[in-house]
Short mmCIF file of all heavy atoms in Angstrom, two decimals:
data_model
loop_
_atom_site.label_atom_id
_atom_site.label_comp_id
_atom_site.label_asym_id
_atom_site.label_seq_id
_atom_site.Cartn_x
_atom_site.Cartn_y
_atom_site.Cartn_z
N LEU A 28 0.83 -1.19 0.03
CA LEU A 28 -0.01 0.02 0.02
C LEU A 28 0.87 1.26 -0.01
O LEU A 28 2.03 1.20 0.43
CB LEU A 28 -0.87 0.03 1.22
CG LEU A 28 -1.88 -1.18 1.37
CD1 LEU A 28 -2.63 -1.09 2.68
CD2 LEU A 28 -2.85 -1.19 0.18
N ASP A 29 0.31 2.37 -0.47
CA ASP A 29 1.07 3.63 -0.45
C ASP A 29 0.76 4.41 0.84
O ASP A 29 -0.19 4.11 1.57
CB ASP A 29 0.78 4.45 -1.70
CG ASP A 29 -0.69 4.82 -1.84
OD1 ASP A 29 -1.34 5.19 -0.80
OD2 ASP A 29 -1.23 4.70 -2.96
N PRO A 30 1.57 5.47 1.15
CA PRO A 30 1.36 6.21 2.36
C PRO A 30 -0.01 6.86 2.48
O PRO A 30 -0.56 7.01 3.57
CB PRO A 30 2.49 7.27 2.31
CG PRO A 30 3.52 6.66 1.46
CD PRO A 30 2.81 5.82 0.45
N HIS A 31 -0.61 7.22 1.34
CA HIS A 31 -1.90 7.82 1.42
C HIS A 31 -2.97 6.82 1.96
O HIS A 31 -3.80 7.22 2.78
CB HIS A 31 -2.32 8.20 0.01
CG HIS A 31 -3.74 8.81 -0.10
ND1 HIS A 31 -4.86 8.09 -0.48
CD2 HIS A 31 -4.20 10.07 0.21
CE1 HIS A 31 -5.90 8.83 -0.43
NE2 HIS A 31 -5.52 10.06 -0.04
N ASP A 32 -2.89 5.55 1.60
CA ASP A 32 -3.77 4.55 2.11
C ASP A 32 -3.60 4.39 3.61
O ASP A 32 -4.54 4.28 4.37
CB ASP A 32 -3.53 3.18 1.42
CG ASP A 32 -3.92 3.23 -0.03
OD1 ASP A 32 -4.80 4.07 -0.45
OD2 ASP A 32 -3.38 2.45 -0.87
N PHE A 33 -2.35 4.37 4.09
CA PHE A 33 -2.08 4.29 5.48
C PHE A 33 -2.67 5.50 6.22
O PHE A 33 -3.17 5.36 7.36
CB PHE A 33 -0.56 4.22 5.73
CG PHE A 33 -0.04 2.85 5.75
CD1 PHE A 33 0.74 2.32 4.75
CD2 PHE A 33 -0.32 1.98 6.83
CE1 PHE A 33 1.24 1.02 4.71
CE2 PHE A 33 0.15 0.65 6.82
CZ PHE A 33 0.98 0.20 5.84
N GLY A 34 -2.55 6.64 5.61
CA GLY A 34 -3.10 7.89 6.25
C GLY A 34 -4.63 7.81 6.47
O GLY A 34 -5.10 8.14 7.52
N ILE A 35 -5.29 7.25 5.46
CA ILE A 35 -6.79 7.13 5.57
C ILE A 35 -7.12 6.14 6.67
O ILE A 35 -8.00 6.35 7.50
CB ILE A 35 -7.35 6.67 4.18
CG1 ILE A 35 -7.20 7.78 3.20
CG2 ILE A 35 -8.79 6.24 4.34
CD1 ILE A 35 -7.64 7.37 1.74
N TYR A 36 -6.38 5.00 6.66
CA TYR A 36 -6.63 4.01 7.72
C TYR A 36 -6.33 4.54 9.09
O TYR A 36 -7.01 4.28 10.09
CB TYR A 36 -5.76 2.77 7.47
CG TYR A 36 -5.86 1.70 8.52
CD1 TYR A 36 -7.05 0.97 8.72
CD2 TYR A 36 -4.81 1.40 9.37
CE1 TYR A 36 -7.18 0.05 9.68
CE2 TYR A 36 -4.85 0.44 10.34
CZ TYR A 36 -6.08 -0.24 10.51
OH TYR A 36 -6.15 -1.20 11.47
N ALA A 37 -5.28 5.37 9.21
CA ALA A 37 -4.90 5.96 10.52
C ALA A 37 -6.03 6.86 11.07
O ALA A 37 -6.31 6.85 12.24
CB ALA A 37 -3.62 6.77 10.37
N VAL A 38 -6.66 7.59 10.16
CA VAL A 38 -7.77 8.46 10.59
C VAL A 38 -8.91 7.58 11.14
O VAL A 38 -9.45 7.87 12.21
CB VAL A 38 -8.27 9.35 9.42
CG1 VAL A 38 -9.59 9.99 9.76
CG2 VAL A 38 -7.21 10.36 9.04
N ALA A 39 -9.26 6.53 10.44
CA ALA A 39 -10.27 5.62 10.91
C ALA A 39 -9.92 4.97 12.22
O ALA A 39 -10.76 4.78 13.08
CB ALA A 39 -10.58 4.53 9.83
N LEU A 40 -8.65 4.65 12.35
CA LEU A 40 -8.17 4.01 13.60
C LEU A 40 -8.27 4.96 14.79
O LEU A 40 -8.60 4.52 15.90
CB LEU A 40 -6.74 3.55 13.42
CG LEU A 40 -6.25 2.48 14.41
CD1 LEU A 40 -7.08 1.20 14.30
CD2 LEU A 40 -4.76 2.13 14.08
N VAL A 41 -8.04 6.27 14.56
CA VAL A 41 -8.14 7.25 15.62
C VAL A 41 -9.60 7.28 16.11
O VAL A 41 -9.89 7.28 17.31
CB VAL A 41 -7.70 8.59 15.14
CG1 VAL A 41 -8.14 9.71 16.13
CG2 VAL A 41 -6.19 8.66 14.96
N VAL A 42 -10.55 7.34 15.14
CA VAL A 42 -11.94 7.39 15.50
C VAL A 42 -12.33 6.11 16.29
O VAL A 42 -13.02 6.17 17.40
CB VAL A 42 -12.85 7.50 14.29
CG1 VAL A 42 -14.30 7.41 14.66
CG2 VAL A 42 -12.57 8.78 13.56
N HIS A 43 -11.88 4.97 15.82
CA HIS A 43 -12.20 3.69 16.47
C HIS A 43 -11.64 3.67 17.89
O HIS A 43 -12.26 3.17 18.83
CB HIS A 43 -11.66 2.53 15.62
CG HIS A 43 -11.91 1.18 16.20
ND1 HIS A 43 -11.04 0.57 17.09
CD2 HIS A 43 -12.92 0.31 16.02
CE1 HIS A 43 -11.53 -0.60 17.41
NE2 HIS A 43 -12.68 -0.80 16.80
N ALA A 44 -10.42 4.10 18.04
CA ALA A 44 -9.75 4.07 19.36
C ALA A 44 -10.53 4.90 20.35
O ALA A 44 -10.62 4.54 21.55
CB ALA A 44 -8.30 4.57 19.24
N ILE A 45 -11.01 6.05 19.95
CA ILE A 45 -11.77 6.94 20.84
C ILE A 45 -13.07 6.23 21.30
O ILE A 45 -13.44 6.18 22.50
CB ILE A 45 -12.09 8.26 20.20
CG1 ILE A 45 -10.78 9.05 19.97
CG2 ILE A 45 -13.03 9.11 21.07
CD1 ILE A 45 -10.97 10.33 19.17
N VAL A 46 -13.79 5.64 20.33
CA VAL A 46 -15.09 5.08 20.61
C VAL A 46 -14.93 3.76 21.40
O VAL A 46 -15.73 3.51 22.35
CB VAL A 46 -15.86 4.81 19.30
CG1 VAL A 46 -17.19 4.14 19.56
CG2 VAL A 46 -16.09 6.11 18.55
N ILE A 47 -13.97 2.94 21.11
CA ILE A 47 -13.81 1.63 21.82
C ILE A 47 -13.52 1.85 23.28
O ILE A 47 -13.81 0.97 24.11
CB ILE A 47 -12.72 0.78 21.10
CG1 ILE A 47 -12.86 -0.70 21.48
CG2 ILE A 47 -11.32 1.31 21.49
CD1 ILE A 47 -14.03 -1.34 20.86
N ASN A 48 -12.95 2.98 23.64
CA ASN A 48 -12.68 3.26 25.03
C ASN A 48 -13.86 3.36 25.90
O ASN A 48 -13.80 3.23 27.14
CB ASN A 48 -11.80 4.55 25.18
CG ASN A 48 -10.33 4.31 24.94
OD1 ASN A 48 -9.79 3.29 25.32
ND2 ASN A 48 -9.67 5.24 24.28
N VAL A 49 -15.01 3.68 25.29
CA VAL A 49 -16.26 3.82 26.05
C VAL A 49 -17.29 2.78 25.69
O VAL A 49 -18.44 2.85 26.15
CB VAL A 49 -16.86 5.22 25.90
CG1 VAL A 49 -15.85 6.31 26.31
CG2 VAL A 49 -17.26 5.43 24.42
N SER A 50 -16.88 1.79 24.93
CA SER A 50 -17.90 0.84 24.33
C SER A 50 -18.62 -0.05 25.33
O SER A 50 -19.72 -0.49 25.02
CB SER A 50 -17.22 0.02 23.26
OG SER A 50 -16.22 -0.79 23.85
N ASP A 51 -18.01 -0.34 26.49
CA ASP A 51 -18.73 -1.21 27.43
C ASP A 51 -18.95 -0.46 28.78
O ASP A 51 -19.34 -1.09 29.76
CB ASP A 51 -18.01 -2.51 27.72
CG ASP A 51 -16.69 -2.29 28.52
OD1 ASP A 51 -16.22 -1.17 28.62
OD2 ASP A 51 -16.17 -3.31 29.02
N LEU A 52 -18.72 0.86 28.78
CA LEU A 52 -18.90 1.68 29.98
C LEU A 52 -18.08 1.17 31.19
O LEU A 52 -18.48 1.42 32.33
CB LEU A 52 -20.42 1.75 30.36
CG LEU A 52 -21.31 2.45 29.27
CD1 LEU A 52 -22.71 2.52 29.80
CD2 LEU A 52 -20.79 3.86 28.94
N GLY A 53 -17.01 0.44 30.95
CA GLY A 53 -16.18 0.00 32.02
C GLY A 53 -16.70 -1.20 32.84
O GLY A 53 -16.05 -1.60 33.80
N VAL A 54 -17.85 -1.75 32.49
CA VAL A 54 -18.44 -2.79 33.33
C VAL A 54 -17.77 -4.12 33.18
O VAL A 54 -17.85 -4.97 34.04
CB VAL A 54 -19.96 -2.90 33.04
CG1 VAL A 54 -20.72 -1.63 33.40
CG2 VAL A 54 -20.24 -3.27 31.59
N GLY A 55 -17.07 -4.30 32.05
CA GLY A 55 -16.34 -5.55 31.85
C GLY A 55 -15.25 -5.72 32.90
O GLY A 55 -15.00 -6.80 33.45
N THR A 56 -14.56 -4.60 33.21
CA THR A 56 -13.52 -4.63 34.22
C THR A 56 -14.07 -5.01 35.62
O THR A 56 -13.36 -5.62 36.41
CB THR A 56 -12.81 -3.22 34.31
OG1 THR A 56 -12.40 -2.88 32.98
CG2 THR A 56 -11.67 -3.24 35.25
N ALA A 57 -15.31 -4.63 35.87
CA ALA A 57 -15.91 -5.01 37.12
C ALA A 57 -15.97 -6.52 37.33
O ALA A 57 -15.79 -7.00 38.45
CB ALA A 57 -17.32 -4.40 37.25
N LEU A 58 -16.22 -7.25 36.29
CA LEU A 58 -16.27 -8.72 36.39
C LEU A 58 -14.89 -9.28 36.72
O LEU A 58 -14.76 -10.27 37.46
CB LEU A 58 -16.75 -9.35 35.04
CG LEU A 58 -18.20 -9.36 34.72
CD1 LEU A 58 -18.48 -10.16 33.46
CD2 LEU A 58 -19.03 -9.84 35.84
N VAL A 59 -13.83 -8.67 36.20
CA VAL A 59 -12.47 -9.13 36.56
C VAL A 59 -12.21 -8.94 38.03
O VAL A 59 -11.58 -9.75 38.72
CB VAL A 59 -11.43 -8.35 35.74
CG1 VAL A 59 -10.02 -8.84 36.07
CG2 VAL A 59 -11.66 -8.52 34.24
N ARG A 60 -12.73 -7.85 38.59
CA ARG A 60 -12.50 -7.53 40.01
C ARG A 60 -13.41 -8.31 40.97
O ARG A 60 -13.00 -8.65 42.05
CB ARG A 60 -12.71 -6.01 40.22
CG ARG A 60 -12.65 -5.55 41.64
CD ARG A 60 -13.00 -4.10 41.78
NE ARG A 60 -13.02 -3.72 43.18
CZ ARG A 60 -14.05 -3.83 43.99
NH1 ARG A 60 -15.19 -4.29 43.48
NH2 ARG A 60 -13.96 -3.49 45.27
N ASP A 61 -14.64 -8.60 40.53
CA ASP A 61 -15.64 -9.20 41.43
C ASP A 61 -15.23 -10.60 41.81
O ASP A 61 -14.52 -11.33 41.11
CB ASP A 61 -17.01 -9.27 40.72
CG ASP A 61 -17.64 -7.88 40.59
OD1 ASP A 61 -17.23 -6.97 41.33
OD2 ASP A 61 -18.56 -7.72 39.74
#
C-alpha cells in the first residue's frame, strides 16, 4: 500500500480508538475484580 492509504486508515483508527474506550462503559472490568 502507499502512504496515502495508510493515512486514511490511521484516521479511521483514531476514531475507532476513541469510541472503543467507552464501548462497554467499564463494566467488563468489574467482572475481573468481582
Side-chain angles (χ1 to χ4, degrees):
L28 299 176
D29 58 43
H31 178 261
D32 293 335
F33 270 108
I35 292 174
Y36 176 68
V38 169
L40 199 59
V41 167
V42 175
H43 180 271
I45 295 172
V46 177
I47 199 70
N48 277 323
V49 301
S50 62
D51 72 344
L52 297 183
V54 296
T56 305
L58 282 188
V59 181
R60 175 186 176 271
D61 287 342

